[in-house]
Amino acid sequence: MSGGGRIRRLLGGLSRPQGAARVVPPSGSTAHLTVLTAGAMAFLAVFALALSLASGRLADRWSEALARTATVRISAPEAQLEAQTRAVLAILDTTPGIETARALDAAEMRGALEPWFGPDLPIETLPLPQLVEIIESPERPFDAEGLRLRLAAEVPGAVLDDHTRWRRPLVEAAGRIRLLGLMALGLIGAAMAGLITLAAQAALAANGQVIRVLRLVGARDTFIARAFVRRFTSRGFVGALVGTACGMGAVAALPAADAAGGFLTGLGFAGLHWLWPLAIPPLAAIVAYIATRQAALRMLKGIR
Amino acid sequence: MIELESVAMSYGGGELLSDMTLRLLPGSFHFLTGPSGAGKTTFLKLCYGELMPSAGRLTLFGQDLRDMSRDDIAALRSRIGVVHQDCQFLDHLPLIENVALPLTVAGQAANTTELRELLGWVGLWSQRGALPPQLSGGERQRAALARAVIRAPEVILADEPTGNIDWEMSLRLLKLLVELNRMGKTIVIATHDLNLIRTTKAQVAARVLRIQNRRLHLAGADL
């Protein structure tokens, strides 16, 4: 049997009614609507999840990359620049919490400015400040405020930039994007519950005769509700399974993350994060179960 | 078993049935007659708890209908079998599953031998795999009767069970109902077929009730 045939048979088996669900007629437009809704919502949920996880990773990366580094900028007349650099390095060498400190050479300065000014920048002719890169000790952070005061007292042309003013808005922005992704997931779940409720109500209304017969032979509300709930839960699960698979395929097909591409090329799953979308079909089934059960019990209250 | 005390039933402000008092005793056989629209179906619906009386007291197996929960009423349907003129089935299920439906909803397994006996008794074993739309009117009535009695109810309520079938089939159905009555079941048949009533009275001691001018009367022996 072909792979496609096997999948079709598996999905057919999952959505085939058993037990109480057999009392509900097998087909109808609501069946397709439920499967389609669950599939579409699961597809969107995969992207919302990818967005959320990617922004989380980005926030961590920015946070980590910027948190352990700082820069001292030395602006001084050319004759004093070297002496001031030595003085700064001496101060940094004795400052607790600093793992390494080194002055950037001309090539590194050119590399840092290249994205803005191009490769042929005559760096020697420009009055650029000297930059000293600081790597913070992972065990203990250095006292940025104390270092700033000490530099101001001993090397007036040196300014410490600990990247806080860059880092905070970036991390905040990434956190907001993550929150938006989570909100989108919540809205997708609510929209799916609403649509499945409507489909379940339509199915209940269309199966009035079935409900009357079941009532006549002594079926309780829970039995009748169960018959519809099983049907809709399995449809929700199957639809979400297909939607999730398509969504994961689409995310996998996105361009791979690279440093130059920045955020957009990093939109995807990494490592164990690929397991997260697998939670979507069971969650969709739970949403379908709750939505259908509530719709069914509410409607059955009106029928004796 | 079923007891009505001054029961009235109103629809949309107008009273359809009023001041009805009756006791259905175990093993009794009643016909319910009256002109079309007199309220025979409504009366039967009251008797199996589908409708709630607007006044009076209706007791089913010693329990006031007003005090019964929805689950109580569902459970009551195992003690009262109902056959409608337009007997409804689940059209997507074969006859045998439709007949066994009261057991399915009660979570009980159907005994194949007993099911075979039951369908044989109503003459439908050979039709067990047929879907309801494939059955004739008489076959549907007999299937509805088999479904009504599968959980051995104490009372059988039949609403115009012979309304859509020929005389020969009516007699066949009647014979089944008379047999059930001889087994001790209480039978109530709503019908306007006087020939059916006369034929039955020749076989069992049946009482004839008549709904006229919204009230229940015991009909005379001139039927």
Side-chain angles (χ1 to χ4, degrees):
Chain A
M1 196 193 330
S2 69
R6 255 201 310 275
I7 295 289
R8 267 196 298 279
R9 181 169 290 191
L10 172 69
L11 296 183
L14 283 170
S15 60
R16 192 173 301 130
Q18 289 166 351
R22 269 182 59 75
V23 302
V24 182
S27 61
S29 57
T30 55
H32 305 302
L33 178 66
T34 311
V35 174
L36 186 70
T37 300
M41 293 298 170
F43 187 83
L44 294 175
V46 171
F47 277 94
L49 191 62
L51 174 75
S52 195
L53 290 173
S55 52
R57 277 199 310 275
L58 194 67
D60 292 344
R61 200 162 62 227
W62 283 342
S63 191
E64 194 177 335
L66 295 173
R68 288 192 57 217
T69 61
T71 311
V72 175
R73 195 173 64 247
I74 307 162
S75 302
E78 200 175 341
Q80 298 173 21
L81 194 59
E82 199 178 329
Q84 291 210 8
T85 304
R86 274 200 305 276
V88 166
L89 288 171
I91 291 169
L92 294 177
D93 199 34
T94 58
T95 304
I98 290 179
E99 194 171 79
T100 60
R102 66 181 186 86
L104 297 189
D105 60 25
E108 287 173 308
M109 297 277 281
R110 183 178 288 111
L113 294 172
E114 196 177 289
W116 286 275
F117 297 104
D120 303 322
L121 182 69
I123 199 165
E124 301 77 16
T125 62
L126 294 173
L128 293 175
Q130 174 64 52
L131 297 179
V132 175
E133 185 190 64
I134 297 172
I135 305 290
E136 192 178 65
S137 164
E139 283 82 35
R140 57 176 294 195
F142 66 87
D143 175 11
E145 202 48 43
L147 179 59
R148 198 169 278 124
L149 292 171
R150 196 173 162 201
L151 286 172
E154 296 183 29
V155 191
V159 177
L160 173 69
D161 180 0
D162 64 357
H163 301 168
T164 307
R165 66 194 169 105
W166 302 103
R167 189 172 65 200
R168 190 173 295 140
L170 287 174
V171 171
E172 276 177 9
R176 294 266 166 83
I177 293 172
R178 178 160 46 182
L179 189 66
L180 282 175
L182 293 174
M183 279 172 64
L185 277 174
L187 286 173
I188 287 167
M192 189 166 87
L195 286 168
I196 289 179
T197 300
L198 287 176
Q201 282 174 344
L204 286 158
N207 285 292
Q209 183 188 334
V210 171
I211 294 171
R212 277 194 298 278
V213 170
L214 292 173
R215 273 257 174 269
L216 191 68
V217 299
R220 292 170 186 235
D221 284 0
T222 46
F223 178 90
I224 301 172
R226 196 163 62 233
F228 285 90
V229 164
R230 280 190 188 174
R231 186 64 67 85
F232 277 82
T233 302
S234 61
R235 284 172 187 164
F237 181 74
V238 168
L241 200 62
V242 174
T244 301
C246 292
M248 288 175 76
V251 169
L254 286 173
D258 72 66
F263 177 71
L264 280 177
T265 55
L267 183 63
F269 299 109
L272 289 176
H273 283 175
W274 279 101
L275 295 177
W276 277 96
L278 301 181
I280 292 172
L283 284 174
I286 291 170
V287 168
Y289 174 88
I290 294 170
T292 314
R293 187 175 163 81
Q294 290 195 336
L297 291 177
R298 204 167 38 239
M299 185 175 248
L300 289 170
K301 269 186 189 164
I303 307 168
R304 278 174 73 88
Chain B
M1 303 190 102
I2 297 177
E3 201 169 338
L4 294 87
E5 283 178 43
S6 305
V7 164
M9 185 67 207
S10 300
Y11 268 135
E15 201 165 63
L16 182 63
L17 303 173
S18 68
D19 198 23
M20 296 196 141
T21 298
L22 176 72
R23 282 182 75 189
L24 290 178
L25 297 173
S28 61
F29 199 124
H30 287 84
F31 280 104
L32 183 65
T33 65
S36 292
K40 299 190 289 292
T41 300
T42 302
F43 178 87
L44 291 184
K45 283 183 175 177
L46 285 167
C47 289
Y48 66 87
E50 185 174 329
L51 293 176
M52 187 74 77
S54 46
R57 187 162 182 263
L58 175 53
T59 312
L60 303 172
F61 300 100
Q63 221 181 332
D64 194 321
L65 184 60
R66 287 183 200 285
D67 299 333
M68 293 171 83
S69 67
R70 297 168 61 74
D71 281 352
D72 289 338
I73 292 171
L76 178 83
R77 304 272 160 89
S78 68
R79 303 180 75 179
I80 301 177
V82 183
V83 180
H84 282 298
Q85 179 182 5
D86 61 334
C87 34
Q88 293 180 330
F89 295 97
L90 302 185
D91 290 344
H92 62 288
L93 294 183
L95 172 68
I96 193 163
E97 287 191 50
N98 265 290
V99 169
L101 197 58
L103 297 175
T104 307
V105 302
Q108 297 171 11
N111 181 311
T112 313
T113 312
E114 288 175 6
L115 207 49
R116 184 183 184 131
E117 255 178 58
L118 178 63
L119 284 176
W121 176 65
V122 293
L124 289 174
W125 176 246
S126 61
Q127 301 276 70
R128 64 190 176 279
L131 294 175
Q134 298 168 324
L135 301 174
S136 70
E139 287 168 339
R140 288 171 70 88
Q141 288 294 347
R142 282 182 281 144
L145 183 61
R147 185 180 67 186
V149 301
I150 195 166
R151 288 181 76 187
E154 293 147 73
V155 180
I156 292 148
L157 306 175
D159 188 7
E160 301 278 7
T162 59
N164 287 335
I165 54 178
D166 60 32
W167 178 243
E168 194 182 336
M169 196 53 70
S170 298
L171 288 179
R172 195 168 169 185
L173 193 70
L174 181 68
K175 184 171 167 276
L176 296 173
L177 289 164
V178 168
E179 268 185 57
L180 287 167
N181 180 244
R182 285 181 179 148
M183 290 176 206
K185 311 291 183 193
T186 303
I187 310 282
V188 179
I189 303 174
T191 183
H192 55 263
D193 187 342
L194 297 184
N195 281 333
L196 189 75
I197 297 173
R198 288 193 191 104
T199 309
T200 311
K201 279 172 77 86
Q203 299 176 51
V204 291
R207 289 179 77 193
V208 181
L209 306 166
R210 183 174 177 81
I211 298 177
Q212 198 159 29
N213 298 327
R214 305 192 304 274
R215 290 171 190 275
L216 195 62
H217 304 274
L218 183 59
D222 57 337
L223 287 164

